[in-house]
Amino acid sequence: MHGVFGHLQITGIPVAISGGAQRLAFILGIMLACVTGGFGVLGPGPAQAQAQAQAQAQTLANGQNADCQRDTGRHLRIALPEVIELGQGLGPVSLFDIEKTGLAPILAKTGYCADFHLLPWLRADSQIKRGALDGFVSTQNIGWYRRDYYISDRFAEIDIFVLTHPERFKPDGYAYDDLAKMHVAVLLGDSLGFELSGRGIPYVTLPTTANLTRFLLAERVDAVLGYQEMFEKSASDALNNGLLAMSHIGTRDLYLMIYRDVENAKAIIDGLNAQLR
């Protein structure tokens, strides 16, 4: 999934300018882009339906196993939820950089080929229960899931960062209590809102990755909570120019969940767990 996030390209801004002038020029570039693209609205809206409509079952190739290459291996159809809309016509993408997690090669050692599909969580759950998919990757290892799914041990973790203006950068990282005093946003489609709502921290939702840079530079929000890979790609210009900065705040564990009605479901999870030990 490397390289799928879109870069916000702003051209015509001299590199030599710095400080407040540089930030002003960058914001003017954003405003110019908005003349044609417009600001996104806070909160769920048409972008949610568009992301769901575009997030069709998009199979990602698995070349980790010779049997998979010959198409003779046993295939697992796994949904990658937390699908966000990139905007600018780039379509949806999962926040989970599944290549970095190493899930496919681990499963290959147990004799299974992983076919990944980009689907929002509710659609994934519906298709799994209809038998069209076998399971999904999740950050949520909580009790009510176990009623319907066998859940693996943690197979990877993903870092969470706070994207802010440089004056709010914290080299030692943020604590969630710090965010309670700020106007915080998350992206539509991820589940990081649970990290905030569970702590009683209010937040707003941005519909696409392009909005996170616009809203921060326009000071419509103080911080955006998200994943490192997302920020490094979608806010690369602002980060490289020192207009935004990101501080670590925590990690989330990733789990594989296989629906209990899938043939050999428990054995699949047991085999994965054995490889993780």
Side-chain angles (χ1 to χ4, degrees):
M1 298 209 31
H2 299 294
V4 292
F5 288 95
H7 291 252
L8 180 61
Q9 298 294 341
I10 303 298
T11 59
I13 300 177
V15 176
I17 60 177
S18 61
Q22 184 183 34
R23 181 174 176 181
L24 176 61
F26 197 89
I27 294 174
L28 289 174
I30 291 290
M31 293 174 65
L32 180 62
C34 291
V35 170
T36 57
F39 274 99
V41 295
L42 292 175
Q48 182 177 27
Q50 180 184 5
Q52 291 182 354
Q54 290 177 328
Q56 302 300 322
Q58 178 182 346
T59 303
L60 307 178
N62 180 345
Q64 305 292 337
N65 186 315
D67 289 335
C68 296
Q69 294 175 347
R70 293 192 298 267
D71 202 31
T72 59
R74 294 172 293 173
H75 285 258
L76 285 177
R77 302 157 300 175
I78 301 171
L80 297 180
E82 304 220 13
V83 177
I84 61 169
E85 177 62 41
L86 292 175
Q88 300 178 330
L90 296 175
V93 67
S94 173
L95 291 172
F96 300 145
D97 188 344
I98 204 65
E99 291 181 14
K100 287 186 176 180
T101 67
L103 177 59
I106 296 172
L107 282 172
K109 292 178 182 179
T110 69
Y112 285 92
C113 307
D115 297 333
F116 296 110
H117 303 260
L118 300 183
L119 287 173
W121 184 87
L122 288 176
R123 286 187 60 200
D125 184 62
S126 175
Q127 291 202 23
I128 289 167
K129 290 176 179 176
R130 292 204 312 263
L133 297 172
D134 301 311
F136 64 98
V137 174
S138 176
T139 60
Q140 305 295 315
N141 182 11
I142 53 181
W144 64 271
Y145 273 119
R146 296 189 178 277
R147 179 190 62 197
D148 297 325
Y149 294 89
Y150 290 107
I151 304 176
S152 75
D153 296 337
R154 178 186 69 86
F155 69 83
E157 65 181 24
I158 185 169
D159 287 307
I160 309 173
F161 281 79
V162 178
L163 186 68
T164 60
H165 296 113
E167 57 268 25
R168 292 183 180 271
F169 171 71
K170 292 196 172 187
D172 296 328
Y174 269 87
Y176 278 99
D177 287 346
D178 298 326
L179 300 183
K181 308 168 187 175
M182 301 166 65
H183 192 202
V184 186
V186 298
L187 280 167
L188 177 68
D190 72 28
S191 63
L192 287 175
F194 292 118
E195 299 287 345
L196 299 172
S197 61
R199 297 172 170 86
I201 301 173
Y203 64 91
V204 295
T205 303
L206 304 181
T208 71
T209 58
N211 294 116
L212 67 89
T213 306
R214 295 173 185 171
F215 278 76
L216 277 168
L217 293 177
E219 299 186 356
R220 296 181 66 178
V221 296
D222 299 321
V224 179
L225 190 68
Y227 299 115
Q228 181 177 11
E229 183 85 1
M230 174 184 70
F231 290 150
E232 289 177 343
K233 297 294 179 65
S234 61
S236 60
D237 289 339
L239 287 168
N240 291 338
N241 285 294
L243 301 176
L244 295 175
M246 58 181 181
S247 303
H248 191 263
I249 193 170
T251 61
R252 303 184 88 190
D253 294 333
L254 294 183
Y255 308 92
L256 177 64
M257 301 187 179
I258 299 295
Y259 192 49
R260 286 178 174 266
D261 288 351
V262 171
E263 183 179 2
N264 298 321
K266 186 175 185 303
I268 293 169
I269 293 300
D270 288 344
L272 174 60
N273 288 342
Q275 292 294 326
L276 295 173
R277 296 190 184 105

